[in-house]
């Protein structure tokens, strides 16, 4: 019988506050204090740009210092990557670039890095373009990065993200192909809908490999209807999606949480909010709902 998790830390991604930072209502450093005041125990960070006059390294040190000052735990560091397209399509050069990002994670004090695998073959690529055709190279790249990061005690993971490497079966193939205890999955409950996959079934498939969990919700409309307009994007099969407050959308959040708990997961579960509603309101309502679902 699977032992259920007793406690999960509640986290939030800095990405959730993008609306505030984009409109100049808060800086990244100010977002750290906001997250603490809202009741989060952990904050994680997506790729950030240093202010003028600072380097990525010096700004990462300031972020860590601010987290320590306000008393919030450092979570994952999330970065983009593409072993088929970035750095001129040279996967080994992309590995070297990501090793530099491992150093940023080390300065932050982040326990893990989430990096993408690929968005797919480049336009005009003349050969086979299936996921299995890309898999051997993706395995090489991910393994090289995680072997390096393991030296610093930093776990690496891919997310169900980016359309091409998004389905749970594809993510599972990649993780098992890398076959390294330092490499796993950042599981996003909502993102499976981008590949038109049932979230609960996908969560159940990937739980044995999960290092970190994102709670995310989406509104969904059939692609057979008219385009709903601003704020919506399309899934791989042409259905319409829009980020929502957790509990307001169509992702089976409670069912997914029950699967996560049954698997014995007891790490951080982070809100990643990308709705159109006011960010602070959307995050706060989502946190209230998430606490209730976890309880």
């Amino acid at each position: 019988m699977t032992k259920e998790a007793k406690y999960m830390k509640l986290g939030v991604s800095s990405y959730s506050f993008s609306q505030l930072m984009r409109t100049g209502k808060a800086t990244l450093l100010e977002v750290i204090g906001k997250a603490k005041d809202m009741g989060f125990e952990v904050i994680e960070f997506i790729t950030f740009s240093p202010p003028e006059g600072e380097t990525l390294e010096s700004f990462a040190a300031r972020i860590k210092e601010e987290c320590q000052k306000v008393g919030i735990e450092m979570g994952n560091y999330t970065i983009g990557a593409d072993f088929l397209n970035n750095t001129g399509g040279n996967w080994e050069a992309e590995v070297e670039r990501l090793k530099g990002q491992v150093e940023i994670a080390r300065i932050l004090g982040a326990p893990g890095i989430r990096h993408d695998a690929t968005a797919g073959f480049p336009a005009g690529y003349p050969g086979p373009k299936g996921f299995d055709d890309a898999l051997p190279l993706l395995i090489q790249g991910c393994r090289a990065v995680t072997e390096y990061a393991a030296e610093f005690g930093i776990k690496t993971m891919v997310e169900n993200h980016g359309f091409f490497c998004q389905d749970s079966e594809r993510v599972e193939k990649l993780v098992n192909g890398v076959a390294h205890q330092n490499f796993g999955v950042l599981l996003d409950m909502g993102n499976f809908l981008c590949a038109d996959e049932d979230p609960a079934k996908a969560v159940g498939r990937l739980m044995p490999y999960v290092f970190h969990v994102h709670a995310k919700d989406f509104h969904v409309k059939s692609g057979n209807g008219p385009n709903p307009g601003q704020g919506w994007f399309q899934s791989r099969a042409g259905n319409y999606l829009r980020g929502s407050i957790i509990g307001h959308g169509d992702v089976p959040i409670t069912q997914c949480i029950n699967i996560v708990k049954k698997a014995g997961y007891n790490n951080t579960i982070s809100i990643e909010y990308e709705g159109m509603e006011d960010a602070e309101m959307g995050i706060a309502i989502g946190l209230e709902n998430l606490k209730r679902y976890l309880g």
Side-chain angles (χ1 to χ4, degrees):
M1 181 178 291
T2 306
K3 183 180 179 181
E4 290 197 3
K6 295 181 180 179
Y7 177 74
M8 282 181 257
K9 294 178 182 178
L10 294 170
V12 65
S13 169
S14 65
Y15 178 72
S16 302
F17 297 92
S18 295
Q19 185 188 105
L20 297 181
M21 293 186 281
R22 187 173 60 249
T23 57
K25 294 179 180 178
T27 66
L28 181 59
L29 292 178
E30 289 170 339
V31 156
I32 296 169
K34 284 183 179 292
K36 175 67 175 180
D37 291 343
M38 293 176 83
F40 290 102
E41 301 161 274
V42 180
I43 184 168
E44 60 187 75
F45 296 91
I46 63 168
T47 307
F48 49 82
S49 299
E52 187 175 349
E54 288 206 54
T55 65
L56 203 56
E57 289 80 4
S58 67
F59 192 49
R62 286 184 62 199
I63 290 171
K64 179 180 180 180
E65 181 181 349
E66 185 66 17
C67 288
Q68 292 173 334
K69 177 182 173 183
V70 305
I72 194 167
E73 189 176 323
M74 178 66 65
N76 266 2
Y77 177 44
T78 294
I79 54 179
D82 193 321
F83 294 109
L84 296 182
N85 295 281
N86 286 358
T87 55
N90 183 335
W91 74 269
E92 291 172 307
E94 182 71 344
V95 167
E96 293 306 310
R97 186 186 71 82
L98 290 174
K99 286 180 179 179
Q101 292 293 325
V102 170
E103 174 61 14
I104 301 304
R106 190 191 65 78
I107 295 170
L108 285 169
I113 284 180
R114 179 284 245 174
H115 64 77
D116 294 312
T118 185
F121 287 93
Y125 180 77
K129 302 178 184 67
F131 182 77
D132 287 349
D133 300 303
L135 191 55
L137 189 148
L138 302 182
I139 288 169
Q140 285 180 289
C142 291
R143 184 181 291 136
V145 174
T146 206
E147 286 175 348
Y148 179 78
E151 298 175 20
F152 304 95
I154 297 171
K155 292 184 179 296
T156 69
M157 59 206 83
V158 289
E159 184 177 351
N160 50 308
H161 178 256
F163 292 95
F164 187 75
C165 189
Q166 192 143 11
D167 320 61
S168 61
E169 186 175 359
R170 293 182 177 187
V171 174
E172 184 177 43
K173 281 185 178 182
L174 177 57
V175 176
N176 283 329
V178 174
H180 196 292
Q181 63 182 5
N182 198 59
F183 184 71
V185 174
L186 190 161
L187 183 137
D188 187 299
M189 296 176 186
N191 278 355
F192 294 108
L193 289 175
C194 299
D196 308 284
E197 186 175 15
D198 177 78
K201 288 176 67 175
V203 170
R205 181 195 294 272
L206 290 183
M207 276 316 300
Y209 316 102
V210 169
F211 287 171
H212 189 69
V213 173
H214 276 174
K216 184 191 289 176
D217 209 347
F218 281 118
H219 297 292
V220 182
K221 286 182 177 287
S222 169
N224 197 41
N227 189 323
Q230 186 177 349
W232 296 78
F233 68 97
Q234 286 186 283
S235 71
R236 204 163 61 195
N239 293 309
Y240 297 102
L241 305 176
R242 178 167 74 83
S244 86
I245 295 170
I246 289 172
H248 288 199
D250 298 296
V251 176
I253 298 289
T254 302
Q255 186 177 2
C256 290
I257 285 174
N258 288 339
I259 296 166
V260 169
K261 290 169 68 175
K262 186 178 180 181
Y265 178 83
N266 61 357
N267 203 341
T268 300
I269 180 167
S270 288
I271 289 177
E272 190 174 70
Y273 172 71
E274 52 186 58
M276 295 178 68
E277 296 87 351
D278 173 79
E280 288 184 272
M281 178 190 73
I283 296 166
I285 294 172
L287 176 59
E288 182 182 344
N289 287 342
L290 185 59
K291 284 180 177 178
R292 188 170 69 255
Y293 301 156
L294 284 167

